[in-house]
Amino acid sequence: MNSNALLSKVNTLYLITLIAAIIESVLLIPVIGGVIVVSTLWFPLIALIGLYIAGLVIVSQAETTGGSDRYATELSTAKTKYIVGIACAAIAFIPFIGWILHIVMAVMMWLQFVTWTNIKEKLSKDNIIADVKAEDVKSDDDKEAK
């Protein structure tokens, strides 16, 4: 199982999702989000589309990484969220509809961020366990013999 490669991809997805969640959270603020989007010539929406595309590509790669079968459901759900994110960011320039879409996407991205956090913890524990050599582990019989 190549959990180091999967952990690397999950770390990248963790950062992408955190950035997207923060941007979405700022843009969902009424009036302020609209002013930010319009004054920057819709750059935040373009940036979000880029983040969601990058996330989609990396999740697709992660699905084919060794050890990913344990997280197949989470990876599939994340892929769906990134696809929805691309669609939402593409139509979020419409006033009021964009505000609602930013609320939806902020919630989805924060939930996905929590999922990546949990997967990172599990993969890190797996790596620690894999690094322990069998001869370093004492059985109960060995402890009783002393």
Side-chain angles (χ1 to χ4, degrees):
M1 175 164 94
N2 191 359
S3 61
N4 283 334
L6 183 58
L7 181 57
S8 174
K9 288 181 181 10
V10 169
N11 281 330
T12 304
L13 289 163
Y14 174 88
L15 290 174
I16 287 172
T17 305
L18 176 61
I19 293 166
I22 291 169
I23 293 171
E24 293 285 8
S25 296
V26 170
L27 295 180
L28 69 76
I29 301 169
V31 182
I32 294 172
V35 168
I36 291 170
V37 170
V38 173
S39 68
T40 59
L41 300 175
W42 292 269
F43 179 76
L45 300 179
I46 295 166
L48 284 169
I49 290 172
L51 285 170
Y52 293 137
I53 289 171
L56 181 60
V57 168
I58 295 169
V59 167
S60 296
Q61 292 173 350
E63 285 181 321
T64 61
T65 303
S68 66
D69 51 336
R70 179 176 171 190
Y71 305 102
T73 304
E74 291 89 342
L75 292 172
S76 176
T77 302
K79 191 186 264 190
T80 303
K81 288 177 183 176
Y82 291 128
I83 292 169
V84 170
I86 293 166
C88 287
I91 59 174
F93 66 91
I94 302 170
F96 189 72
I97 292 173
W99 174 62
I100 292 169
L101 294 175
H102 288 307
I103 293 171
V104 169
M105 287 310 302
V107 170
M108 286 175 60
M109 287 298 101
W110 284 117
L111 291 173
Q112 189 59 48
F113 177 75
V114 171
T115 300
W116 292 137
T117 303
N118 293 336
I119 292 173
K120 277 179 55 168
E121 288 175 8
K122 289 176 186 174
L123 286 170
S124 295
K125 286 178 186 174
D126 289 349
N127 283 345
I128 291 169
I129 291 170
D131 288 343
V132 176
K133 296 177 185 171
E135 61 267 8
D136 292 341
V137 178
K138 304 289 185 196
S139 70
D140 288 337
D141 294 336
D142 293 340
K143 292 176 187 174
E144 292 173 7
K146 292 183 177 182

